[in-house]
Amino acid sequence: MTENLELRTFQVGGIHAELRELHMSDDLEGMIEGTPYLHRRFRIMQLEKQLAGPQGMYVHDLDRIRADAAARVDTWLPRARVHARLSAPWRPDGMTEPGHSELSVVWFQQAGEDPFGRLAEIVRPLDWTALARFEAASD
């Protein structure tokens, strides 16, 4: 059996980025009780805390999730939470250090949906240069 060691490549704006990791989890796992409103509020708090850290993260439809929470929408978020980590050789202007840039993308989807196709749709219009974080090479 031959292994295919090539990584999937995605177009992010004008940058070709490689998928380094894709993790899907059941976003309701371990939840004993609650409401769709509280679930959204809890996710918003978690995601905003992560976004306040170093750049390099994009949460798809965060404004819609916030609006749904404000309107107290009574339907649950899609059950699957997906986190993808992409990397590219792009470096910011003036950066001479060796390294690469990374972008994490988070979204919610139904469990049966294709996460790779959904990722391609989400990242195509994004601006890698505005969202990605540069990681200097470590020795």
Side-chain angles (χ1 to χ4, degrees):
M1 180 162 84
T2 308
E3 272 189 56
N4 183 355
L5 298 178
E6 291 184 28
L7 299 175
R8 289 184 183 235
T9 302
F10 292 84
Q11 185 72 31
V12 185
I15 302 292
H16 294 286
E18 293 180 333
L19 179 64
R20 295 294 181 171
E21 179 181 6
L22 187 127
H23 178 75
M24 290 183 69
S25 59
D26 182 345
D27 198 55
L28 299 178
E29 184 177 352
M31 194 168 195
I32 296 171
E33 60 181 58
T35 65
Y37 167 74
L38 291 175
H39 181 232
R40 278 185 172 76
R41 290 296 315 146
F42 186 66
R43 290 298 166 250
I44 290 167
M45 288 187 302
Q46 283 183 325
L47 294 167
E48 286 177 343
K49 184 177 180 181
Q50 291 173 333
L51 287 167
Q55 67 185 54
M57 183 174 182
Y58 173 75
V59 179
H60 182 67
D61 276 347
L62 183 57
D63 289 337
R64 184 186 53 78
I65 295 168
R66 285 182 182 133
D68 287 350
R72 294 187 168 265
V73 169
D74 65 353
T75 56
W76 293 93
L77 282 170
R79 193 162 183 138
R81 179 181 177 149
V82 186
H83 177 224
R85 187 173 59 86
L86 302 158
S87 72
W90 176 84
R91 292 185 300 200
D93 290 339
M95 181 63 66
T96 58
E97 284 183 74
H100 66 279
S101 52
E102 289 193 355
L103 177 63
S104 289
V105 180
V106 176
W107 72 95
F108 297 89
Q109 69 176 41
Q110 298 303 331
E113 290 181 89
D114 171 24
F116 299 104
R118 188 72 181 118
L119 176 60
E121 291 172 17
I122 291 169
V123 299
R124 191 174 300 116
L126 298 181
D127 181 356
W128 182 273
T129 63
L131 295 170
R133 175 185 73 232
F134 179 74
E135 295 284 329
S138 59
D139 294 329

